[in-house]
Amino acid sequence: MTSGKNPGTSGLASRIGAMRDAWRRRGERRQGPRGRAQFDLRGRLLLVTGALGACALALVARAVDLQLVRNEFYQKQGDERFLREIEIATSRGMITDRNGEPLAVSTPVESIWANPQELLKTPAHLPTLAAALGVDAESLTRKLTQRADREFVYLKRRINPAEARRILAHEIPGVFSQREYRRFYPQGEAIAHVLGFTNIDDRGQEGLELAFDEWLRGTAGMKRVIRDRHGRTVEEVDLMRAAVPGKSLTLTIDRRIQFLAYRELKRAMAETGAVSGSAVVLDVATGEVLAMANLPSFNPNAVTGGNRDAHRNRAVTDLIEPGSTVKPLTVAAGLEAGVITPATLFHTSPGWIPNGRYRTTDTHNYGTLDTTGVIRKSSNVGVSKIVHMLPNEDYYAFMRRVGYGRSTGSGFPGENAGLLLPPSRWSGTTKQTMSYGYGLSATPLQIAHAYAMLGNHGRAIAPTFVKGEVGEVEQVLDPKIADDVVRMMQTVTEPGGTATQAAILGYHVAGKTGTARKSENGGYSRRYVAFFAGLVPVDNPRFSMAVVINDPDPARGYYGGVVSAPVFKNVMEGALRLMDVPPDDIDTWIAAQQKAAVSRPAAKLAALAPAPVAPLPAAVPPSAPPPRPAPVVPARPALPQAIDGGAQ
């Protein structure tokens, strides 16, 4: 047996070696010329597929985050960039007089605004914009620079739409307009104090505009729009809230009577040189305020910051000592207490009585007067004797009851309640001076309200400015006493009375004059307030009116019967005609017509006679008005020593 390797094993090893050599040669062929290994295609595909899958998962996760998880946040961010909520302006309610005539209306206007962040990016446009706005370029630049962090600033507000279009025609980036409303008052100064006015934002500031601001203002609407990056509205997305216009307001004011009161008050002030004046007209049966005029006045269509004193409604805010207009009320208190009758006699000689260290005096020595004569002659001595018969508490309670020392209840903003001291604060002379209108203070509205109570048979009705509103009613005086006092006041406007200039042809007029000295430096000066308060017609009083002329020039007349009574007459003549009030003194009217008919032929004959040729006036231009005659100034009596000064 021979030794050696197994031939089968040797063959197998050689085949394995041959295969290893073949694989080695194949690997050498796969290497490049520089020996780099060739990419593994399978591994590459797996890598790319994994990366794409990861990206897809990331996108899905991001989409889920945007659409589901944080949807509200990103929606809000997008809306803040393009979606805007814009207010829809609404008009303020109209104010009309009792007949539907407009007293205050709202007209559409435009306001120019800008986005400073966008506008300041193009400073070259600022001079053009400033010229269009009519402002200084430097001040405009400063205004925008100070508000550079904002997106909204007004440039010019409440202008004519045509002017706004001219400004926008320059197409300056960042400049826009919006609709607003502006208040317009057709009657101007004549009714400014009653209506008041609104501010730049159309909110009521004074008068009835303030008192009824919520009623008149309405509710602004709101809409959602999409704006582009230039601030232009490209789409209206949603109406969030519809605009609700303000409600209309119908007043008790009659604009015709209001104008009469304003015109006559202005004429009286011009003729007397007075500082200020007020006139109030009430409907006796309803308490409605038909007119309320004040001077000086202002233009509510162009309110400025100057002369704020002219904005005050003096008829409800200013307190004045009412002088002799109180005397009918003092007489009514005496009649109610039963201490006097209409026939009671009063000895007023020698024309004065003591009043502490002063004297209460009359303008003349009237001798013996009955109760009616005390009112007709306006006797300070007579009413002083009446009030001394009344207990302090009773007289105070009566004056409170008829409306002094408390608000009338009209609801007008800033209404003053007046001043009426309680008996615990009276001195020894207070009650006597109060009987003829000193030592207490009232507003013109309170005076007219008290006289309306007398004309309404003792019923006091709270004044109202809104048609259809019924004021509080209170029976404060016996109807017979009220009627008796009205008849006594009728003699004031008849021959022998102190106010014949208040008489109206065809109507019986009841009234009372007043001339009160003005309080000054703890005493009373030689400056005056002239009053007249009255009722017409006497048989069935329809109107109550109070006229107050403050500080007339004494050289032109200062008594109430001379200064204020003519205002009453002229206004009431027009009001009676406008309201178709039938006359209650037809006999006097017929007699006047007959007298005029008799004198008419004589006037015709005089007209046929040749007129004398008058010399032409020298140095008078043809366009100049004819010279007015100098006013007749009544003889001024010597001033008495009493603080009342013999007020009429």
Side-chain angles (χ1 to χ4, degrees):
M1 184 173 184
T2 58
S3 61
K5 295 181 180 180
N6 188 338
T9 303
S10 172
L12 179 62
S14 62
R15 283 196 301 272
I16 293 173
M19 292 175 65
R20 185 181 299 115
D21 292 339
W23 281 105
R24 185 183 305 116
R25 287 194 297 270
R26 185 181 295 177
E28 289 175 355
R29 285 197 301 270
R30 288 177 179 174
Q31 292 179 356
R34 298 181 182 180
R36 293 181 301 178
Q38 188 175 0
F39 287 112
D40 185 355
L41 180 59
R42 184 179 181 184
R44 182 75 174 196
L45 289 174
L46 291 174
L47 179 63
V48 171
T49 302
L52 291 175
C55 291
L57 288 174
L59 290 174
V60 170
R62 182 60 174 169
V64 170
D65 179 64
L66 293 176
Q67 299 296 326
L68 300 176
V69 179
R70 304 178 66 186
N71 176 63
E72 293 184 2
F73 170 78
Y74 289 109
Q75 187 67 42
K76 182 180 179 181
Q77 292 297 311
D79 291 347
E80 288 181 354
R81 287 162 173 78
F82 299 103
L83 199 62
R84 294 287 186 271
E85 292 181 358
I86 301 178
E87 186 177 273
I88 304 174
T90 184
S91 61
R92 196 172 175 86
M94 180 186 295
I95 300 178
T96 65
D97 80 340
R98 65 187 301 108
N99 301 311
E101 295 292 334
L103 301 178
V105 295
S106 291
T107 57
V109 292
E110 296 288 329
S111 290
I112 301 298
W113 65 277
N115 182 345
Q117 296 180 5
E118 183 176 354
L119 185 55
L120 290 173
K121 293 178 182 178
T122 55
H125 289 115
L126 293 182
T128 303
L129 178 60
L133 294 171
V135 298
D136 180 65
E138 183 179 350
S139 62
L140 176 62
T141 304
R142 183 167 55 252
K143 177 179 180 179
L144 293 171
T145 304
Q146 292 172 349
R147 298 163 176 81
D149 58 336
R150 302 183 185 179
E151 295 183 354
F152 183 95
V153 60
Y154 279 116
L155 299 180
K156 197 169 186 179
R157 296 195 65 179
R158 303 204 303 181
I159 61 176
N160 189 289
E163 182 181 354
R165 287 194 295 270
R166 286 195 297 270
I167 296 173
L168 295 176
H170 294 281
E171 297 184 351
I172 300 174
V175 178
F176 313 95
S177 71
Q178 71 178 31
R179 171 63 58 85
E180 288 189 312
Y181 289 88
R182 180 179 181 180
R183 210 63 162 157
F184 176 66
Y185 303 94
Q187 305 301 318
E189 296 183 358
I191 197 171
H193 296 101
V194 175
L195 298 179
F197 56 90
T198 59
N199 63 6
I200 191 72
D201 295 314
D202 216 23
R203 298 292 182 92
Q205 297 300 292
E206 292 185 11
L208 297 181
E209 290 277 25
L210 173 61
F212 294 93
D213 184 59
E214 292 187 6
W215 176 270
L216 295 165
R217 192 168 62 214
T219 305
M222 190 70 67
K223 64 181 178 180
R224 186 178 286 117
V225 302
I226 295 177
R227 283 181 170 173
D228 62 14
R229 65 188 184 90
H230 298 293
R232 296 171 297 195
T233 299
V234 296
E235 182 182 354
E236 293 188 1
V237 178
D238 183 28
L239 177 63
M240 302 173 62
R241 184 178 67 245
V244 180
K247 304 180 186 69
S248 296
L249 185 66
T250 302
L251 303 185
T252 60
I253 297 290
D254 189 307
R255 68 177 183 88
R256 301 167 300 176
I257 301 177
Q258 177 72 28
F259 178 75
L260 282 174
Y262 175 79
R263 184 190 68 185
E264 296 303 323
L265 195 63
K266 191 170 186 178
R267 178 184 297 173
M269 288 186 59
E271 291 177 352
T272 63
V275 172
S276 62
S278 298
V280 179
V281 180
L282 300 181
D283 188 303
V284 169
T286 63
E288 294 177 334
V289 180
L290 300 176
M292 180 178 285
N294 296 275
L295 283 170
S297 187
F298 66 97
N299 183 3
N301 296 305
V303 179
T304 61
N307 195 16
R308 294 284 300 172
D309 186 59
H311 296 173
R312 191 172 70 252
N313 188 347
R314 301 171 185 272
V316 297
T317 63
D318 284 18
L319 292 180
I320 44 182
E321 291 182 302
S324 295
T325 59
V326 169
K327 290 175 182 176
L329 301 177
T330 302
V331 170
L335 292 171
E336 182 183 66
V339 297
I340 62 171
T341 68
T344 302
L345 298 179
F346 300 92
H347 301 287
T348 64
S349 296
W352 62 271
I353 59 173
N355 186 5
R357 61 192 182 96
Y358 299 100
R359 295 192 309 178
T360 293
T361 67
D362 288 336
T363 53
H364 304 285
N365 181 0
Y366 296 119
T368 301
L369 298 171
D370 61 8
T371 305
T372 301
V374 169
I375 293 180
R376 182 175 66 253
K377 295 298 185 182
S378 192
S379 173
N380 297 333
V381 175
V383 293
S384 296
K385 290 189 174 185
I386 293 173
V387 83
H388 280 307
M389 303 178 192
L390 298 172
N392 292 354
E393 292 292 343
D394 291 352
Y395 185 59
Y396 171 77
F398 179 86
M399 296 301 292
R400 285 276 300 179
R401 201 166 3 115
V402 299
Y404 286 82
R406 60 175 181 150
S407 171
T408 64
S410 70
F412 196 90
E415 181 182 355
N416 207 318
L419 178 64
L420 181 68
L421 296 177
S424 60
R425 298 180 59 185
W426 291 1
S427 66
T429 63
T430 300
K431 186 170 70 170
Q432 182 169 322
T433 57
M434 282 176 58
S435 69
Y436 49 81
Y438 287 91
L440 74 163
S441 297
T443 64
L445 177 60
Q446 285 178 310
I447 297 173
H449 178 237
Y451 275 61
M453 177 274 298
L454 293 174
N456 199 24
H457 313 293
R459 290 200 318 158
I461 303 178
T464 177
F465 289 88
V466 180
K467 188 176 181 181
E469 185 178 86
V470 180
E472 183 180 351
V473 181
E474 182 182 4
Q475 188 74 42
V476 299
L477 187 62
D478 181 86
K480 185 179 185 310
I481 294 176
D483 294 345
D484 287 345
V485 173
V486 171
R487 289 294 179 184
M488 294 178 189
M489 290 193 298
Q490 179 182 332
T491 64
V492 174
T493 64
E494 295 175 343
T498 59
T500 56
Q501 294 191 48
I504 300 174
L505 182 63
Y507 295 89
H508 291 301
V509 177
K512 186 68 190 76
T513 57
T515 310
R517 284 188 177 183
K518 297 188 68 174
S519 177
E520 190 174 276
N521 299 325
Y524 288 87
S525 67
R526 293 177 182 267
R527 298 165 59 199
Y528 302 89
V529 181
F531 302 89
F532 185 83
L535 299 160
V536 64
V538 169
D539 285 356
N540 185 22
R542 177 68 185 276
F543 303 120
S544 168
M545 182 175 183
V547 181
V548 179
I549 305 295
N550 179 34
D551 203 7
D553 183 359
R556 306 187 201 181
Y558 59 90
Y559 284 118
V562 175
V563 174
S564 300
V567 177
F568 174 92
K569 174 189 176 180
N570 295 334
V571 175
M572 288 295 96
E573 274 187 334
L576 291 165
R577 182 176 63 256
L578 291 169
M579 305 295 271
D580 293 326
V581 179
D584 64 342
D585 187 16
I586 193 67
D587 293 338
T588 302
W589 183 84
I590 292 175
Q593 295 300 314
Q594 291 175 344
K595 183 178 180 180
V598 170
S599 61
R600 203 170 292 128
K604 288 182 179 179
L605 290 174
L608 295 175
V613 179
L616 293 175
V620 177
S623 60
R628 298 182 61 182
V632 178
V633 181
R636 184 176 175 184
L639 289 172
Q641 298 302 313
I643 60 173
D644 179 72
Q648 296 297 309

